[in-house]
Amino acid sequence: NKGNSEEQTIKKFESYKRETALPKEVSNCRIYVDNRADSIILPVYGMAVPFHISTLKNISKSDEGEYVYLRFNFNSPGQGVGKKDSLPISDPNATFMRSVTIRSSDILRMNEMYTSIQNLKKDQAKRETEKAQLAD
Amino acid sequence: MSDAKVQFNEIFLTDVPYIVARGQIRLGKSGIGWKAASDADMAAAMGYGIPGYSDEKGMLAIQSADIRRIQWQRVAKGFGIRIWLKDGTLHKLDGFDRDDYDSMKDAVKRFYKGITLENRDVSLKGWNWGKTDFEGQNLTFKVENKPMFDIPMNQVSNTNLAGKNEVSIELQPTRPGTKRKAIDEMVEVRFYVPGTTTTTKKPSDGED
């Protein structure tokens, strides 16, 4: 049954069930990597906004003058040919966040964030592959 | 007892993004007031033309009669209240504790006729798909009907149709020359917006 399998795909990941689970560190309104919850938390106008690592396609970094820019590219429709993605296609009218760019002059910390987010993404991709192999 | 004011300390006035203005908030029958805790906090909120804010006094004054709704929600700095005025102004105050909820709810009920402290339940699912919606001057991204984040329209410096089905929103940088610690600021967000004519086919996914 197609509907069921789609639903399962959608419900596969969730960053936090309740707000009490948000890490304390979000209070300083900076990017935070929560390995335990497989999530990155981005500051958006005073809110701590989690993105599950499964939504992240990749991250890129650019240095421009006194700032470092991190660009978070998320999985969204119409990207990447050939790669089978697990988009929540049950709602064809959904709007997707395709990318978010955050800049900071704290170069050292931004470099650390870049590395730890890449690591989290790699770990998650590895786990997914292992899971897929087990399922075969 | 009923005329007593209810006060909370260490509350941040966050009407303007990225400023750090700490102070006390007081709720009373006549309205809601926020006062900067120090000269530095006062200076931080100065010069932005925040409605109801006096640069000289370092005070924000909100009249009871002007209040339309008050919302309570999870924010980065603990909990925050969103005070919507009848003229559309939105005041944001962050830094409340979870435990402040009961006394806040009680104060709102006691002081402001017909107003109850609403719970704005935010989405923490970590999903990047949902719907965009306008709430007053905010562009709100909602996941399963719960707000995930808001973008104040007055922070938007440019928008672009960046591609087929892609909208980019550029956001104003912080005021130049503002003395600030290294902050993380969002400078751009891009949305995939599904076409209004082609909603049935999965895009370029090859075979099933």
Side-chain angles (χ1 to χ4, degrees):
Chain A
N1 179 315
K2 206 173 179 210
N4 272 344
S5 68
E6 275 167 10
E7 242 167 68
Q8 277 164 8
T9 315
I10 294 165
K11 282 175 184 159
K12 212 159 56 177
F13 58 84
E14 182 171 346
S15 289
Y16 302 99
K17 286 219 186 328
R18 36 180 57 233
E19 58 82 17
T20 46
L22 274 177
K24 280 198 299 287
E25 290 84 351
V26 301
S27 67
N28 62 17
C29 294
R30 292 186 177 171
I31 301 169
Y32 185 76
V33 182
D34 186 357
N35 287 302
R36 205 177 39 84
D38 282 333
S39 296
I40 46 180
I41 304 172
L42 304 183
V44 183
Y45 295 112
M47 286 172 77
V49 183
F51 291 90
H52 195 274
I53 196 67
S54 301
T55 64
L56 189 74
K57 189 180 174 210
N58 57 46
I59 176 172
S60 66
K61 180 169 81 78
S62 60
D63 298 47
E64 285 173 40
E66 58 172 316
Y67 292 106
V68 173
Y69 291 75
L70 289 184
R71 179 172 165 145
F72 303 83
N73 293 308
F74 301 105
N75 291 315
S76 64
Q79 288 179 322
V81 190
K83 198 175 178 185
K84 203 162 186 195
D85 43 26
S86 52
L87 291 171
I89 48 169
S90 69
D91 181 6
N93 294 314
T95 295
F96 281 74
M97 298 190 63
R98 187 162 259 183
S99 76
V100 171
T101 308
I102 288 180
R103 77 169 190 186
S104 171
S105 55
D106 192 341
I107 292 166
L108 200 67
R109 213 189 92 262
M110 288 296 262
N111 286 333
E112 279 171 20
M113 289 295 118
Y114 178 65
T115 310
S116 56
I117 292 164
Q118 275 195 319
N119 287 340
L120 182 58
K121 184 67 203 167
K122 268 185 226 156
D123 288 350
Q124 183 254 347
K126 207 171 125 190
R127 269 179 285 150
E128 286 297 309
T129 314
E130 283 168 3
K131 228 197 292 181
Q133 281 168 350
L134 275 175
D136 277 347
Chain B
M1 177 71 197
S2 62
D3 346 329
K5 300 217 181 243
V6 176
Q7 180 174 325
F8 302 91
N9 298 322
E10 297 281 308
I11 300 302
F12 295 84
L13 177 65
T14 50
D15 282 28
V16 179
Y18 307 114
I19 63 168
V20 181
R22 216 168 20 105
Q24 292 107 38
I25 185 173
R26 274 188 182 178
L27 292 90
K29 228 179 168 58
S30 61
I32 299 173
W34 177 90
K35 192 178 191 318
S38 71
D39 288 351
D41 294 302
M42 196 170 147
M46 199 177 274
Y48 288 100
I50 298 171
Y53 183 77
S54 155
D55 280 355
E56 295 81 45
K57 293 180 191 155
M59 275 183 73
L60 170 72
I62 300 165
Q63 306 300 320
S64 304
D66 296 336
I67 301 171
R68 206 184 67 202
R69 330 167 54 167
I70 306 177
Q71 296 170 313
W72 172 268
Q73 70 168 84
R74 185 68 161 93
V75 294
K77 289 185 189 318
F79 283 80
I81 55 169
R82 301 287 178 264
I83 306 169
W84 294 86
L85 305 189
K86 286 171 183 162
D87 68 0
T89 305
L90 170 65
H91 291 297
K92 304 200 282 185
L93 294 137
D94 292 351
F96 294 92
D97 290 333
R98 186 173 292 112
D99 297 343
D100 292 338
Y101 176 75
D102 285 341
S103 41
M104 178 61 80
K105 193 180 162 97
D106 175 65
V108 168
K109 194 180 164 196
R110 251 182 328 134
F111 295 137
Y112 316 115
K113 260 216 161 77
I115 311 278
T116 49
L117 186 63
E118 300 167 34
N119 253 310
R120 192 173 189 242
D121 200 6
V122 301
S123 171
L124 300 168
K125 282 191 184 294
W127 298 356
N128 70 317
W129 62 93
K131 289 259 184 297
T132 50
D133 198 3
F134 281 94
E135 291 185 354
Q137 298 295 306
N138 284 332
L139 172 67
T140 301
F141 189 73
K142 290 181 174 173
V143 173
E144 291 191 326
N145 238 5
K146 285 185 187 177
M148 182 173 172
F149 60 85
D150 306 299
I151 297 174
M153 279 297 107
N154 61 6
Q155 296 302 310
V156 174
S157 60
N158 200 9
T159 60
N160 251 311
L161 195 58
K164 194 175 166 254
N165 300 116
E166 184 168 315
V167 173
S168 89
I169 298 176
E170 286 166 40
L171 300 153
Q172 266 178 25
T174 46
R175 190 161 67 175
T178 310
K179 194 170 175 287
R180 60 187 197 269
K181 289 183 212 154
I183 51 164
D184 293 357
E185 54 183 319
M186 190 161 90
V187 291
E188 194 207 50
V189 57
R190 284 173 184 249
F191 291 105
Y192 168 89
V193 184
T196 46
T197 49
T198 54
T199 53
T200 46
K201 284 272 182 292
K202 270 198 294 179
S204 64
D205 202 28
E207 82 277 37
D208 273 328

